[in-house]
Amino acid sequence: MILIGENIHIISKTVREALEKKDENFVKNLIKIQENMDCLDFNIGPAKNNLENIFEWLISLSNKPISFDSTNTNAIKNGILTVHNPSQCFINSTSKDAERLETLTDLTAETNCNLIALALSKETGIPKTADGRLEIVFEIYEKCKEKEIESSKIYFDPLVLPINVDQSQATEALNTIQMIKESFEPKVNTVIGLSNISNGAPKNIKPLINRVFGAMAYGAGLDAVIMDAMDLELVRIFKMLDTNSPKTNIDYLYLKLAQMIKNFGDIDDIEFDKNNQEEQNIIKTAMILLNKKVYSDSFTQV
């Protein structure tokens, strides 16, 4: 599992201000707290005005591979052509939209970087079903093959929607991951922006939602995750799943959830300690993510 840190994101007012001012100490601290990540996602939005060349400045502050995250394709191109190790970096991201897809697949072929591709187009938005998302994935894949991009360099994002907006979409995202992993030979990769699943939920339950969905997505065949590097328990859970080394009953429960998804099992067959509140909350969360229970902001207290 490739862990990609999400903590430099222009949607944060303090991060935006630090980037605009080129506050080196602030940004270096954000980079330092993401030392446990394999790659850093630099989300700079449209990269206009004084942020137009910010990728080049950010590159000078980090020695990790970078995920170039911007709606500005010129900014991505200028940034990725600056790094010494583009083959380890990511372009985040293309959709099916023709102009962007053409530009970024060309850049991927030129630099041998990794390409994140969203199951999305302007015409359809995000399809409601896994089948609809897979259709877009196939179209993007064909363009990648035209450019002779290796399957191992392609990371498809099924797009995770907030559980409190439409909880049925959590299972569609899991289904899409499984279908992508089964549909290509040589195999392609999958990636998600994990924090999207808990966006808008109360702060106290966000980590729980992220961890449970992360474990289930891992079981579905997830290869990379864009995540909050400061959630050290989530980092630990992913590493535990990667090494198949559970040490506690909680670890075993997360492992059971991953295996349930992998083997198309049923959550009702999972054994857990009904007298343990933490285990109860994990199962409650999984039931909601599987659309078997109705979400509410206070679901852990019910």
Side-chain angles (χ1 to χ4, degrees), residues 63-302:
N63 60 4
K64 284 187 177 288
I66 294 165
S67 168
F68 292 87
D69 193 346
S70 176
T71 55
N72 186 328
T73 56
N74 286 329
I76 291 175
K77 183 174 183 178
N78 292 338
I80 205 162
L81 291 176
T82 304
V83 298
H84 298 298
N85 59 342
S87 66
Q88 298 177 43
C89 293
F90 289 78
I91 289 175
N92 188 9
S93 54
T94 187
S95 61
K96 197 193 82 169
D97 299 323
E99 183 178 354
R100 188 172 181 87
L101 181 58
E102 190 74 29
T103 299
L104 294 183
T105 50
D106 279 343
L107 185 57
T108 300
E110 178 183 351
T111 62
N112 196 35
C113 65
N114 300 292
L115 177 65
I116 295 176
L118 311 179
L120 168 73
S121 73
K122 288 179 181 177
E123 294 81 11
T124 64
I126 303 172
K128 290 290 188 181
T129 66
D131 285 336
R133 294 177 193 183
L134 190 64
E135 185 177 335
I136 292 176
V137 164
F138 275 122
E139 292 184 53
I140 295 173
Y141 181 79
E142 287 305 312
K143 177 59 69 173
C144 290
K145 291 296 98 180
E146 284 179 23
K147 305 293 178 69
E148 299 184 346
I149 297 169
E150 295 180 9
S151 295
S152 62
K153 307 300 286 187
I154 307 169
Y155 286 74
F156 285 112
D157 184 344
L159 294 168
V160 174
L161 299 178
I163 191 66
N164 64 351
V165 173
D166 183 350
Q167 69 179 82
S168 69
Q169 289 302 299
T171 54
E172 291 300 329
L174 294 174
N175 291 340
T176 306
I177 293 170
Q178 288 178 308
M179 291 168 71
I180 290 170
K181 296 303 295 184
E182 294 169 357
S183 297
F184 296 93
E185 190 61 46
K187 292 189 180 299
V188 296
N189 301 295
T190 56
V191 61
I192 58 171
L194 180 55
S195 297
N196 289 344
I197 193 68
S198 64
N199 190 27
K203 187 175 181 180
N204 64 305
I205 61 172
K206 281 187 174 187
L208 175 63
I209 295 170
N210 292 342
R211 293 165 191 170
V212 175
F213 189 73
M216 293 198 297
Y218 184 94
L222 192 67
D223 299 290
V225 59
I226 302 170
M227 59 167 288
D228 179 5
M230 290 189 280
D231 188 344
L232 301 183
E233 175 64 3
L234 179 58
V235 174
R236 190 195 68 79
I237 289 167
F238 278 131
K239 292 186 181 298
M240 179 273 296
L241 293 171
D242 249 353
T243 56
N244 192 24
S245 56
K247 292 183 172 60
T248 67
N249 288 340
I250 297 298
D251 285 353
Y252 278 106
L253 188 51
Y254 279 118
L255 185 59
K256 287 176 184 177
L257 288 173
Q259 291 174 338
M260 173 197 69
I261 298 296
K262 180 179 180 180
N263 299 321
F264 302 94
D266 193 319
I267 192 168
D268 292 331
D269 295 331
I270 291 181
E271 296 182 358
F272 68 100
D273 185 354
K274 295 178 174 62
N275 295 314
N276 182 295
Q277 189 62 53
E278 187 175 0
E279 291 190 39
Q280 281 190 47
N281 288 341
I282 290 170
I283 292 297
K284 285 180 182 179
T285 306
M287 295 286 281
I288 287 169
L289 291 164
L290 294 170
N291 205 26
K292 291 179 175 287
K293 298 287 186 181
V294 177
Y295 173 86
S296 72
D297 287 347
S298 58
F299 75 86
T300 58
Q301 301 165 30
V302 177

